[in-house]
Amino acid sequence: MVNSDVVVVGAGIAGLICAQRLRQMGHRVIVVEKSRGLGGRLATRRLSSGHADHGVRCLEVQGALTQGLIDRLCKCQILQPWVDRIHTFDRSGILHLDDSPQPRFTSATGITSVAKFLGTGLEIWHGQRVKGITATAQQTWDLTLEPTGAPSASRLTANALVITIPAPQALALLEPLLHQGLAPDRVAMVRSVKFSPCITSIAAYSAVQQPIATSLPWRAVTFLDDPDLDWVAIDSSKRPDAPCPTVIVQSTARFAKEHLETSDLQRVGQQLLERATVLASWLAAPEVLQVHRWRYAFATQPLPVDCVVADYPLPILCGGDWCGGGDRENGDFDQKHAKFDTRGLRIESALRSGLSAAEQLGMKFQGISLEAASQAVSLSNLKVGAMLAETIDQI
């Protein structure tokens, strides 16, 4: 059994920035992540011809936190500018270029490079799923782990717990704690969060197609009121030395819900490519096709708070990009087709949620109750921006 001050469940943006902040406060922090990589939906798929970003498409400024992160990553040459304008394919089949520029940033080595930067110096246990949580008589959290990759310790204890996985997965860990005194209203808050899915086709093409791909008038296209397609991008355009075209096609939530439980994802992925031929006929004939199912792609009903906090029976906080609630309040949510555009506040919310959780837990370790800490922590944009700058400057 291994003991830690804090265990963070989930190595997405919120979990990583929270763990960094707590580590820099002097606490021992262990991040438990079920997959082999980092970043959650900051995901890059490796291909024989290179790689492709099949989750988060790119980074763009959504507020003070994303601005600070992008500035620092550009300075470190981890991020580079990609496009200032993207196209929209409207319901009449016409492509329109964005009227106003909105710089988008990517990494030549894949968007997961952002997560690798945020994970620098952290103790991360990969390939470990948290199967259960129990509060012990010794006033610690006891976590039972189930290896999804390389075996490691099957038990882990901590004085405090931060859960930053998608809300439905967090709920499965929280509900058994109700009989140990976890406040029902906190569990109800997590239960109220709703997500929509997405299916992503990752397609690689022959090098013969590279001149054709580079001559296209668009690099990325969003679809307006399409029942199936949400996004198509020449992902290889993020890398000037790419030997052949790689294309990402992402579905609407409506399409994903219809096909989410299918046993033949290849067929569904091919269907998306065939729909994308409205942009270029050769998209239907890849040399390689991989398909990824994002069950929890977009928080369609997020919480209005930065994180969910409970102080009994032991400190436990929950957060992620499903906190903050900015998307619906800013009108980015399209109820008819259940999707978010790329101007949503997901990454901004994730950073804010992780920093807020760390700040409140830091106060708890100084002897302040989480209830008092939650009331005391009022993170203005200026303050939270300074916290992020201080945190990433020490990475």
Side-chain angles (χ1 to χ4, degrees), residues 289-336:
L289 172 61
Q290 298 183 21
V291 187
H292 189 88
R293 174 171 33 206
W294 294 105
R295 191 173 295 276
Y296 306 114
F298 308 109
T300 54
Q301 187 173 307
L303 291 176
V305 296
D306 289 334
C307 57
V308 179
V309 179
D311 209 2
Y312 184 83
L314 293 167
I316 184 168
L317 300 90
C318 300
D321 64 358
W322 45 273
C323 292
D327 292 296
R328 292 179 70 172
E329 293 172 6
N330 282 279
D332 289 333
F333 182 59
D334 178 348
Q335 184 66 52
K336 182 178 179 182

Side-chain angles (χ1 to χ4, degrees), residues 148-182:
T148 61
S152 71
S154 60
R155 300 270 299 280
L156 179 61
T157 65
N159 298 322
L161 190 59
V162 181
I163 301 177
T164 61
I165 54 181
Q169 296 174 335
L171 186 63
L173 297 176
L174 296 175
E175 285 185 325
L177 298 175
L178 286 169
H179 75 279
Q180 288 195 293
L182 184 62

Side-chain angles (χ1 to χ4, degrees), residues 31-288:
V31 180
V32 179
E33 168 57 43
K34 70 176 182 179
S35 71
R36 292 177 298 172
L38 299 176
R41 292 185 296 278
L42 281 175
T44 302
R45 179 69 60 89
R46 301 296 166 184
L47 306 168
S48 58
S49 58
H51 53 264
D53 299 327
H54 63 290
V56 174
R57 304 156 180 175
C58 55
L59 260 64
E60 54 189 292
V61 175
Q62 302 164 352
L65 299 181
T66 42
Q67 178 73 74
L69 182 62
I70 288 169
D71 288 348
R72 173 62 189 273
L73 294 177
C74 285
K75 189 178 296 184
C76 296
Q77 299 185 332
I78 294 172
L79 289 182
Q80 302 85 32
W82 178 37
V83 291
D84 286 341
R85 289 181 170 91
I86 59 175
H87 286 76
T88 298
F89 191 87
D90 68 20
R91 66 195 69 176
S92 61
I94 298 175
L95 272 176
H96 301 276
L97 188 62
D98 282 353
D99 293 331
S100 56
Q102 171 69 33
R104 280 94 174 170
F105 298 84
T106 60
S107 173
T109 55
I111 200 74
T112 193
S113 299
V114 176
K116 290 178 180 178
F117 169 80
L118 293 175
T120 302
L122 293 176
E123 184 175 355
I124 302 173
W125 290 16
H126 295 275
Q128 301 294 322
R129 179 183 288 108
V130 178
K131 190 175 181 181
I133 302 168
T134 305
T136 72
Q138 291 73 39
Q139 293 297 294
T140 61
W141 288 112
D142 188 344
L143 288 78
T144 302
L145 306 181
E146 179 180 66
T148 61
S152 71
S154 60
R155 300 270 299 280
L156 179 61
T157 65
N159 298 322
L161 190 59
V162 181
I163 301 177
T164 61
I165 54 181
Q169 296 174 335
L171 186 63
L173 297 176
L174 296 175
E175 285 185 325
L177 298 175
L178 286 169
H179 75 279
Q180 288 195 293
L182 184 62
D185 64 324
R186 300 300 192 265
V187 177
M189 289 174 69
V190 178
R191 188 183 293 115
S192 72
V193 177
K194 306 300 180 187
F195 278 81
S196 282
C198 176
I199 292 174
T200 300
S201 291
I202 309 151
Y205 298 82
S206 166
V208 174
Q209 301 288 357
Q210 182 69 347
I212 300 173
T214 55
S215 67
L216 289 170
W218 53 270
R219 292 187 183 180
V221 178
T222 60
F223 286 75
L224 183 65
D225 291 335
D226 190 281
D228 302 332
L229 298 177
D230 186 38
W231 170 267
V232 176
I234 307 295
D235 201 79
S236 49
S237 67
K238 300 172 181 178
R239 297 167 291 283
D241 58 347
C244 58
T246 304
V247 174
I248 291 292
V249 180
Q250 291 186 325
S251 77
T252 59
R254 186 170 105 175
F255 179 92
K257 288 176 181 177
E258 182 180 347
H259 300 284
L260 193 62
E261 305 304 335
T262 182
S263 59
D264 188 2
L265 271 182
Q266 288 295 113
R267 177 187 60 81
V268 173
Q270 182 63 39
Q271 186 176 338
L272 283 174
L273 293 184
E274 289 169 2
R275 287 284 290 107
T277 58
V278 295
L279 297 175
S281 61
W282 54 270
L283 292 177
E287 286 192 336
V288 177

